[in-house]
Amino acid sequence: MAKSYNITDDLGHQLRFERVPQRIVCLVPSLTEYLFWLGLAEQIVGITDYCIVPAEQVAAVPKVRGTKNPNREQILALAPDLIIANKEENRERDIVALAAAGLTIYVSEIDSVQQAMASLQTIASMLGRSEQARPLIEAIQAELALAPIRQQRVATAIWRDPWMWVGKATYAADVLACCGASNCLADPAGRYPRLELAEIAALQPDRILLPDEPYTFSQADAEQLQGLAPQINCCDGQLLTWYGPRIPLALQTYRRLLSGIDD
């Protein structure tokens, strides 16, 4: 019989396991991708509607609605021995209700690349996949060891109507900071503050980034913002906001972009 063990989640809650979890419901799209990357396809019994990668593998997994409105009854019926959630992406009342029903929940909190790396290591350890995770962790560490080529003041949009922007205390902001971006929003400005375009212009950013997720910014939006910054770029939103197997590529991509290589 396998030895029991304890795991502490990102909020400091200690979880007790008598064996490695075999039935997992994941409510976090980027961590669903990570679980499949770790080779846990057979253990994943439920995911959200927004868990869209890897596309072929997630297609056959039962969906439990969205990250903000999971079907608790369906989750209970799936009888998971582990639920993976995230403080920002999932509602506290859903996590509390599922925990009250006797389910074990690992809650991640990811506000930086270092936090993401630590959480990925903990999740891998919890699921008996530490060795499988090692190449990814080493690749992230190698990317973080590289100094940014160039420093720029950057404003990154996250939504429009109203215009909302990436604040400093976010994972996306830290990805960019690791690649040479100084967030030009006030500190503290909140996680996703609302600022009109005139307010952004007054901050005099060197570059404005327009990710294609969660709002699908397009070249038409970039043209509307012409004159607000010397450089305006549409960019990959999943690379900027999804933590997991794509972190090394994210750091490579945004280091290249912020260096001006792609201008």
Side-chain angles (χ1 to χ4, degrees):
M1 180 178 294
K3 293 174 62 177
S4 60
Y5 59 98
N6 296 328
I7 291 288
T8 303
D9 75 4
D10 293 354
L11 302 188
H13 301 136
Q14 192 171 85
L15 311 179
R16 177 77 171 178
F17 296 95
E18 299 304 324
R19 65 186 184 108
V20 175
Q22 297 299 304
R23 296 183 61 80
I24 305 168
V25 168
C26 187
L27 304 178
V28 188
S30 54
L31 293 179
T32 293
E33 179 183 30
Y34 179 55
L35 297 180
F36 277 103
W37 184 86
L38 287 174
L40 293 164
E42 294 185 2
Q43 287 84 358
I44 302 170
V45 298
I47 57 177
T48 74
D49 294 341
Y50 300 102
C51 297
I52 57 175
V53 288
E56 292 185 4
Q57 291 175 289
V58 300
V61 181
K63 309 302 188 294
V64 296
R65 289 201 311 233
T67 56
K68 303 296 186 186
N69 66 335
N71 187 324
R72 298 178 197 166
E73 292 74 19
Q74 184 183 3
I75 292 173
L76 287 169
L78 290 169
D81 47 17
L82 175 67
I83 297 173
I84 295 179
N86 176 263
K87 181 181 177 182
E88 179 176 74
E89 294 196 48
N90 307 121
R91 301 183 306 182
E92 183 179 11
R93 63 177 176 267
D94 291 318
I95 294 171
V96 169
L98 291 166
L103 298 180
T104 300
I105 308 175
Y106 178 97
V107 183
S108 62
E109 182 178 18
I110 311 295
D111 291 336
S112 69
V113 176
Q114 289 287 353
Q115 278 185 311
M117 187 165 57
S119 196
L120 295 176
Q121 287 178 298
T122 301
I123 291 170
S125 175
M126 176 172 59
L127 298 173
R129 291 294 197 276
S130 292
E131 286 304 310
Q132 289 85 343
R134 189 182 304 279
L136 173 61
I137 301 304
E138 291 177 349
I140 296 171
Q141 291 171 332
E143 291 297 330
L144 290 175
L146 300 175
I149 299 172
R150 175 183 175 190
Q151 293 288 337
Q152 291 195 325
R153 286 169 46 79
V154 174
T156 305
I158 202 75
W159 201 260
R160 64 169 299 169
D161 301 325
W163 283 94
M164 298 175 68
W165 304 83
V166 171
K168 291 186 176 182
T170 59
Y171 172 76
D174 192 65
V175 168
L176 295 173
C178 292
C179 298
S182 172
N183 191 322
C184 69
L185 275 65
D187 186 13
R191 290 179 62 79
Y192 302 105
R194 298 183 181 185
L195 284 85
E196 297 300 327
L197 296 183
E199 295 176 277
I200 293 296
L203 296 173
Q204 299 182 319
D206 298 313
R207 190 182 298 266
I208 293 175
L209 297 179
L210 300 176
D212 58 7
E213 186 180 297
Y215 183 93
T216 309
F217 285 105
S218 67
Q219 193 57 42
D221 296 298
E223 291 171 2
Q224 180 184 344
L225 271 58
Q226 287 299 319
L228 297 186
Q231 298 292 336
I232 300 173
N233 302 104
C234 293
C235 56
D236 189 316
Q238 284 191 358
L239 281 183
L240 187 59
T241 60
W242 285 42
Y243 33 85
R246 62 186 69 212
I247 294 177
L249 178 60
L251 294 171
Q252 294 165 12
T253 299
Y254 281 98
R255 184 180 295 109
R256 179 181 177 88
L257 174 62
L258 293 171
S259 73
I261 293 174
D262 294 332
D263 291 340

